[in-house]
Amino acid sequence: MYERAVALGEEFRGKGAHVHLGPSTGPLGSNARGGRNWESFGPDPYLAGIAMNASVVGIQSAGVQACSKHFVGNEQETQRTSTTNNGTVIEAISSNIDDRTLHELYVWPFADAVHAGTSSIMCAYNRVNGNYSCANSGTLQTVLKDELAFPGYIVSDWYATHSTDHTANSGLDMEMPGNVSSDAGAAYFGKTLLEAVIGGVVPVSRLDDMAQRVMTPYFLLGQDKNYTSVDPSSGAAFLSYQYGHGSALSSTYPEVAARDVRADHAKIIREIGAAGTVVLKNINGTLPLKNEKNIGLFGNDVPYPTTGSVYLDIGNNPEGFEMGTVDVGGGSGTVRHTGLITPLEAIQKHVNSIGGRVQLLFDNELVAEGSFKTIYPTPDACLLFLKAYSTEGEDRSSLELQWNATKAVESTAAMCPNTIVVIHGPGVVLLPWADNENVTAILAAHYPGEETGNAITDVLWGLVEPSGRLPYTIPRNASDYGTEVVESVEANGDPNAWQADFTEGQMIDYRHLDANNIEPHFEFGFGLSYTEFDMENILDVNVVGGSLSRSANKSMGIAPGGLRDLWTIAAVASVKITNSGNRAGFAVPQLYVSLPQDTTPPGTPVKVLRGFEKLYLEPNESKQVYFDLTRRDLSYWNVEEQQWIIPTGSLTFMAGFSSRDLRSQKQVAVLE
């Protein structure tokens, strides 16, 4: 995670950009169909928090400001901002979240970003409990600036401001304005803000605070000294693909060659792509591939996209483009590829190098129909590449894989008894065909970036040991997942009709399935290796100082991230892991904690992730793994006392290899 962020920071620095608009943990991903889930790190706040910390530190190590986003409750794209209906302004969706859920779920990873030193935080389009995110004093001032002691600046998303004095006084420090000459938005800061200050409706002290917050990261990161100049191609390239070549806007910038800032980053992209691939099924050691020389390569996710190096149809086509591999989602987080190594290119190259042959069929309709007349003889292994597209601006229409995927699997498996399915998708997808006995292996390869072909080839042929684990749950049915996108309302002219009541509280993803005793298809934290691992059934938990006090020591003071004592190590859990297989591989042990149900308020999850590690072990090698737990990790948010509290009773610590594969546990008592 850190190395990825360093590479991102280096590329932004190389382009002369002072701020990277990332990392993202909003949306967290409570709705599996959320269009921007792919931009974030998954629906577990602890995992997202670790990723946010590593990302902020890595980005800013290159001297580039991190802008953590979108704060907060930005869990769907549908009606994410205001619209107009027959002259009536219909307000954006309101995410109505109770105080405890807000703290323990949605704010949690932002606290990690603040603790890591993020320069800025971007507020979201949606409303939170009735007030727009960028003008919400409860979240911006009370939670972010006061409780979390955030010293940086809060910046709005584009068009996310709706007023001047109210927004400024609620805590927004910088506005990203719309184009004042269009109906798309307006600038509420700038001249209008100056008039508000002169008129006395926005205090001068608030303006001073804005300026100090905005400029502090600039000097803190040394951006005032010998910073890289802005790549002169940036404006021209942006305007060309936004407005077209030769337009009045694009022609104001000279067309020059882009500055190449990629360095050797293809290497880390390839490593990340392989590391993020999760092996979901692998019957009888199908993978890694060994002596198979005749390889079938099927599906419309195999070749180079016929749309070219970038797909810019934002919010108008939920299916995405039909022909070509998908390695990145759509919207403002997408990229224009300079070099894209497709599965077709990489696999052909590898198979040719071992003296084999590749048979091809890309058209999903033909595959679904079972039209394999051009395929002979039957391949030793049939690799079927499937995809699901996701983009900013709209939520996914379903959790199904697209382009007739289910029939494509069934037809391929009927012809080929060794069918291996590779999925490129944004997160949760349904796999109704996963139990087909001729589907011998399934890999969730996610959106791996431009080295997608090389990364998946490395995993398929065992050049890299699989280490990916699911950062979400795959349910058997969409209804098993729990939460859903609010897709329509009967507005009838009511400007406040769009309401999303987060009545599920913290029960999202695996927490929801645990609470309702629902069996997942593939659980949170699941992932196979090419070897086997054992975990000692003795879990050791050492409490720092011998006992746990219930509340944090406020005398230690406050720092970015909240009370200092919340970030101190309160306990250390440890367990021994052994590679019991016959080849080296990566183990990913995980630690979960259960708070006592009888001394915590209703709505406490059955268990929550509170630690994970990645260990490389040779056959028969053992290592002890240690999980550091902070006071915050063992606490819940007490709404009445407005502070984090460790409950009385017994805390249960559980270690295993997934949320449902728990091998050892220990209880620790908390005294009154």
Side-chain angles (χ1 to χ4, degrees), residues 1-10 20-25 39-41 47-69 109 112-114 116-119 272:
M1 293 173 182
Y2 172 78
E3 290 174 354
R4 167 184 177 268
V6 171
L8 283 168
E10 290 173 348
H20 165 49
L21 297 180
S24 172
T25 186
E39 297 184 35
S40 301
F41 299 105
L47 171 60
I50 296 295
M52 291 294 285
N53 183 297
S55 298
V56 167
V57 174
I59 291 163
Q60 296 194 165
S61 72
V64 173
Q65 297 181 35
C67 177
S68 303
K69 62 184 187 181
D112 286 271
V114 172
T118 187
S119 295
I272 291 167

Side-chain angles (χ1 to χ4, degrees), residues 531-564:
T531 186
E532 298 291 332
F533 299 99
D534 290 332
M535 177 178 290
E536 192 176 59
N537 62 6
I538 299 174
L539 176 64
D540 188 31
V541 180
N542 291 313
V543 175
V544 176
S547 63
L548 293 169
S549 58
R550 294 195 64 214
S551 58
N553 183 358
K554 294 183 179 181
S555 68
M556 292 181 65
I558 192 169
L563 291 173
R564 293 180 188 272

Side-chain angles (χ1 to χ4, degrees), residues 28 42-50 104-106 108-109 112 511 610:
L28 184 67
D44 182 84
Y46 178 87
L47 171 60
I50 296 295
E104 293 190 39
L105 208 59
Y106 298 103
W108 181 291
D112 286 271
R511 301 168 179 222
R610 286 296 182 261

Side-chain angles (χ1 to χ4, degrees), residues 342-520:
T342 66
L344 172 62
E345 179 182 352
I347 291 173
Q348 275 190 320
K349 181 179 179 181
H350 180 79
V351 174
N352 288 341
S353 73
I354 60 175
R357 62 173 294 198
V358 176
Q359 299 188 69
L360 307 171
L361 185 60
F362 302 148
D363 191 318
N364 264 36
E365 290 302 316
L366 292 178
V367 175
E369 293 169 4
S371 298
F372 295 110
K373 297 177 182 179
T374 60
I375 306 300
Y376 185 84
T378 301
D380 301 324
C382 297
L383 307 182
L384 175 60
F385 281 75
L386 305 176
K387 62 182 179 178
Y389 183 70
S390 187
T391 180
E392 176 184 0
E394 61 188 330
D395 297 307
R396 293 165 61 194
S397 58
S398 78
L399 297 181
E400 301 283 347
L401 288 165
Q402 296 161 344
W403 307 108
N404 217 356
T406 295
K407 287 188 176 181
V409 175
E410 293 171 348
S411 296
T412 304
M415 181 269 296
C416 183
N418 187 21
T419 294
I420 299 165
V421 179
V422 179
I423 301 162
H424 285 130
V428 181
V429 293
L430 297 180
L431 310 175
W433 37 262
D435 297 330
N436 187 313
E437 62 182 10
N438 283 355
V439 176
T440 54
I442 305 171
L443 298 92
H446 300 108
Y447 289 163
E450 66 175 30
E451 287 287 314
T452 175
N454 285 330
I456 198 62
T457 301
D458 289 344
V459 175
L460 287 168
W461 273 271
L463 304 175
V464 170
E465 291 298 313
S467 63
R469 303 296 183 263
L470 283 179
Y472 51 81
T473 297
I474 297 179
R476 288 193 175 274
N477 306 290
S479 58
D480 291 346
Y481 201 74
T483 56
E484 259 299 349
V485 170
V486 177
E487 295 189 274
S488 63
V489 299
E490 293 294 332
N492 295 324
D494 179 5
N496 294 306
W498 285 86
Q499 304 286 327
D501 297 325
F502 287 38
T503 54
E504 71 280 355
Q506 297 183 56
M507 304 308 171
I508 66 172
D509 199 81
Y510 70 90
R511 301 168 179 222
H512 166 76
L513 276 74
D514 285 352
N516 293 279
N517 295 314
I518 299 172
E519 188 68 24

Side-chain angles (χ1 to χ4, degrees), residues 109-226:
F110 282 101
D112 286 271
V114 172
H115 186 66
T118 187
S119 295
S120 63
I121 286 180
M122 179 181 286
C123 50
Y125 287 119
N126 57 282
R127 294 180 291 163
V128 181
N129 297 330
N131 295 317
Y132 274 101
S133 172
C134 292
N136 193 311
S137 61
T139 54
L140 301 187
Q141 188 62 54
T142 303
V143 175
L144 192 52
K145 292 184 175 179
D146 295 341
E147 183 186 318
L148 298 184
F150 174 55
Y153 61 94
I154 301 172
V155 58
S156 73
D157 207 335
W158 271 250
Y159 315 125
T161 50
H162 300 268
S163 65
T164 301
D165 55 305
H166 175 62
T167 300
N169 291 329
S170 294
L172 186 70
D173 300 301
M174 176 188 286
E175 179 195 24
M176 284 299 174
N179 186 335
V180 294
S181 64
S182 76
D183 294 329
Y188 289 100
F189 279 18
K191 181 180 179 181
T192 308
L193 177 61
L194 177 60
E195 292 171 350
V197 173
I198 293 172
V201 292
V202 175
V204 173
S205 60
R206 174 79 266 263
L207 183 63
D208 290 342
D209 181 48
M210 291 179 181
Q212 180 173 326
R213 287 174 176 274
V214 169
M215 294 309 299
T216 295
Y218 176 75
F219 292 108
L220 181 66
L221 294 175
Q223 294 183 334
D224 59 319
K225 299 175 182 177
N226 302 317

Side-chain angles (χ1 to χ4, degrees), residues 85-119:
N85 183 13
N86 296 325
T88 300
V89 175
I90 307 299
E91 307 296 353
I93 189 81
S94 177
S95 299
N96 303 322
I97 313 172
D98 68 88
D99 190 35
R100 185 183 176 194
T101 299
L102 186 73
H103 280 81
E104 293 190 39
L105 208 59
Y106 298 103
V107 171
W108 181 291
F110 282 101
D112 286 271
V114 172
H115 186 66
T118 187
S119 295

